[in-house]
Amino acid sequence: MDIGIGLPTTISGVAGATVLEWARRADAARFSTLGTIDRVVYGNYDAVPALAAAAAVTSTIRLTTAILISPYRGNGALLAKQLASVDQLSGGRLVVGIAVGSRDDDYVATGSDFAGRGKAQDALLAEMRAVWAGESRGTAGAIGPAPVQAGGPPLLIGGLGAAAIRRTTTIGAGWISGGGGPAMFADAAGRVRAAWTAAGREGAPRM
């Protein structure tokens, strides 16, 4: 069993030096993963630069967004570049847990469409994967840097609805729970595994 630990980036007012020391100690203690959660309307550090900072002071621990709320982050090309940068800076240690979220205040604050977040997520994920595949986007060619991991960092899809399960079985490396307790996890994980097999995916989804 792998045991990860969260960065204290959601504690309002926590010092940057504390976040970095936490990352160093988690790496030295051989935890499997450092995780972050995502909000806009809150006093937390943003997940992407926080993991970039953690990458700079660690060497083996995986770095995971658990989870990144992506539809209000602008567009897939820019987010793909940011995440590929963290993947490169960490030597390929990034895992991207990603979902649409359920709090409308973050969408209001960023001028984003809460009701249309599912459609936006599909478009964003498609663009991210195209960027990571090296597709040209202009006279200079592809958007870089290229991620260390072929095809981009593994995507763990969050959410309990049919759309989230569809994304998991079509483009995800697995599924990630955003909370809710053991009973909820067991029920949702069972549905994801069944859908994974029904879609003809080999092996089992990462969880």
Side-chain angles (χ1 to χ4, degrees):
M1 177 185 293
D2 289 340
I3 300 177
I5 190 169
L7 275 173
T9 50
T10 56
I11 300 173
S12 185
V14 68
T18 300
V19 173
L20 296 182
E21 182 61 18
W22 187 284
R24 290 188 190 96
R25 293 191 181 195
D27 194 42
R30 298 292 186 237
F31 281 98
S32 70
T33 310
L34 276 171
T36 59
I37 60 176
D38 199 19
R39 287 298 309 273
V40 174
V41 186
Y42 194 71
N44 59 303
Y45 288 87
D46 184 75
V48 178
L51 289 181
V57 298
T58 59
S59 59
T60 60
I61 196 167
R62 288 195 301 267
L63 309 169
T64 300
T65 56
I67 48 185
L68 191 73
I69 309 302
S70 46
Y72 56 60
R73 287 181 169 265
N75 61 75
L78 181 57
L79 184 57
K81 185 179 184 76
Q82 292 169 339
L83 293 172
S85 297
V86 176
D87 194 52
Q88 274 285 353
L89 290 166
S90 67
R93 290 183 282 136
L94 181 64
V95 177
V96 180
I98 196 165
V100 300
S102 60
R103 296 182 174 94
D104 62 355
D105 55 348
D106 288 341
Y107 282 84
V108 172
T110 55
S112 305
D113 180 13
F114 182 73
R117 67 195 188 283
K119 183 177 180 180
Q121 180 80 325
D122 287 333
L124 181 143
L125 289 170
E127 177 65 0
M128 286 171 56
R129 296 176 72 233
V131 168
W132 289 340
E135 290 187 7
S136 177
R137 287 295 181 271
T139 56
I143 295 172
V148 173
Q149 301 169 84
L155 294 172
L156 304 183
I157 308 297
L160 300 174
I165 293 176
R166 168 182 55 78
R167 294 180 191 111
T168 301
T169 60
T170 54
I171 65 169
W175 175 80
I176 187 168
S177 173
M184 183 282 293
F185 176 85
D187 175 70
R191 290 189 286 118
V192 169
R193 291 189 183 102
W196 185 273
T197 299
R201 297 285 302 268
E202 295 183 359
R206 290 177 61 173
M207 292 189 182

